[in-house]
Amino acid sequence: MEKVSQLDYLLLRSTLVRLLLWLFSIVLLLAMVGTLMINAQRVTFEKNANKAIYHVHEQLLVNDAALSGFGSLLNSVGPNNLHQTRDFTTRMRAAYPHIYMFEALVSVDPANKAQHETQMQELGYEDYKLTRYVSETNSKDNIINMI
C-alpha cells in the first residue's frame, strides 16, 4: 500500500493550473491597478502643468502691458518728471504685487554724477547711487534705455 501524503493534491495538474491562473490574475490585477494609478498621476500632473503655464502666460501679459505703459509714460513725460513716474509705478505695484520693481536707465554726464545723485537723494531716494552701464549697442540718440 502506498503512502499518501496530504500535500499530494498540489502535484495534480489541475491544482497547478489553478495556481498558475490565480498568480496570473493577481499579477494582471496589480499591473492594471499600477497602470491606473500612473495614468491618474499623469493626468493630475498635466492638469497642474497646464494651470502653471496659463498662470505664467497671464503674468507675462500683465508684465508686458505694465512695462509698455511704463515705457510710454517715460517717453511722454521725460526722465525728469519723477513724481508722475513714481505715482504710476506705485499704482502698478499695488495692483500687481508680483511686479518687484520698474527700472529705467538714464544717461548722465560723468561730470554731473555727484550733482545728479544728490538731487535724486533730495527727492526721496535715500539710497540712490549711479552705476555705470555700458550697452553693446550703445546708442547716443536715446536718452533713456529701458530694461
Side-chain angles (χ1 to χ4, degrees):
M1 189 172 206
E2 266 183 54
K3 250 183 164 179
V4 178
S5 170
Q6 292 180 342
L7 299 177
D8 280 346
Y9 73 93
L10 291 177
L11 298 177
L12 295 176
R13 178 170 263 186
S14 62
T15 305
L16 291 175
V17 169
R18 278 189 245 155
L19 178 65
L20 288 175
L21 283 174
W22 183 79
L23 289 174
F24 178 75
S25 299
I26 295 294
V27 168
L28 184 64
L29 181 67
L30 290 175
M32 287 174 43
V33 168
T35 303
L36 288 174
M37 289 176 66
I38 289 171
N39 283 338
Q41 289 176 349
R42 182 179 296 130
V43 167
T44 302
F45 174 79
E46 287 175 358
K47 193 183 305 182
N48 290 337
N50 286 335
K51 283 181 186 177
I53 289 169
Y54 174 77
H55 181 70
V56 167
H57 180 67
E58 187 177 87
Q59 297 301 323
L60 285 173
L61 291 176
V62 168
N63 292 352
D64 187 42
L67 190 57
S68 177
F70 182 62
S72 296
L73 175 76
L74 287 178
N75 282 332
S76 65
V77 300
N80 296 325
N81 192 345
L82 294 178
H83 295 293
Q84 201 169 2
T85 306
R86 183 185 278 177
D87 290 343
F88 173 82
T89 57
T90 302
R91 283 193 321 270
M92 292 302 284
R93 289 186 59 214
Y96 305 106
H98 70 278
I99 296 177
Y100 175 66
M101 75 172 142
F102 289 90
E103 186 173 272
L105 297 178
V106 181
S107 180
V108 176
D109 186 15
N112 298 332
K113 178 183 176 187
Q115 176 187 358
H116 180 75
E117 285 179 347
T118 305
Q119 180 184 13
M120 293 301 288
Q121 290 167 356
E122 289 171 356
L123 288 172
Y125 299 99
E126 298 86 21
D127 58 350
Y128 186 85
K129 184 179 178 186
L130 284 176
T131 304
R132 182 174 169 86
Y133 173 77
V134 179
S135 173
E136 291 177 11
T137 60
N138 199 358
S139 173
K140 301 289 182 187
D141 300 333
N142 295 338
I143 295 175
I144 300 173
N145 295 317
M146 284 169 277
I147 295 179

